[in-house]
Amino acid sequence: LSVAPDPRVKLADDVYAQQFAFAREIETAELRLAGAQSEAKNLHASLAKERAAAAANAELVAAIDAFDAEVVARSGIVDSGNPHNAWALPPTSTSSLRFIGESLEKLVAAADGADAAPTPDARAGYAATMPMLERSLAAWSDTKTTKLAVLNARLKAAGRKAISPEEPAAKSAKKN
């Protein structure tokens, strides 16, 4: 297999290297974000199930709803009648995981879709997005550890099982 540049585009090898390195930086950020987004989706789904199971306990349902509201706000999850249409609804916050993910997707398009070195605007966009990513991941970490622990204590006191941001299949695989 031989990979060669488009013969219609004349770029120096270092420009391709810059483009590739920039795309890899963005990809690394996307991978970090994807883990948090997956955890948020798993928690949101688990909370919906727990809400239904705890319907008779109004205080517990209120605690579940309050925590779920924070999960939704931090993650940017959009519940829609048809989940395939949720992408069309804009993020509700510029600090949500979803907003940052969409920003990174645009940077990927700028990096991968150009036959040139990364532009100053693309690099500035990346530089502006990374602190937002760090703050959002830190806030998410606090939500899933500290605040989830408080909810899990309430669930345990009510005789319910603790919930986790892990996928149900991942939990059962760890037990085996």
Side-chain angles (χ1 to χ4, degrees), residues 33 93-97 99-101 103-104 125-139:
L33 181 66
S93 167
T94 58
S95 63
S96 71
L97 300 174
F99 176 84
I100 294 165
S103 297
L104 289 171
Y126 179 77
T129 302
M130 291 313 294
M132 293 169 34
L133 173 65
E134 296 304 328
R135 284 189 303 272
S136 292
L137 289 176

Side-chain angles (χ1 to χ4, degrees), residues 43 47 60 62-74 135-156 162-165:
L43 266 178
L47 290 165
L60 188 56
I64 292 168
D65 286 344
F67 182 72
D68 192 35
E70 179 157 349
V71 169
V72 168
R74 293 243 180 259
R135 284 189 303 272
S136 292
L137 289 176
W140 174 249
S141 181
D142 179 59
T143 297
K144 75 175 184 172
T145 55
T146 308
K147 295 176 181 175
L148 180 57
V150 171
L151 177 63
N152 279 334
R154 290 190 77 170
L155 289 169
K156 185 177 179 182
I163 58 174
S164 166

Side-chain angles (χ1 to χ4, degrees), residues 71-109:
V71 169
V72 168
R74 293 243 180 259
S75 65
I77 291 173
V78 176
D79 288 321
S80 133
N82 180 349
H84 298 291
N85 292 338
W87 66 269
L89 301 170
T92 56
S93 167
T94 58
S95 63
S96 71
L97 300 174
R98 180 176 175 213
F99 176 84
I100 294 165
E102 289 179 6
S103 297
L104 289 171
E105 286 175 18
K106 291 173 186 172
L107 289 169
V108 165

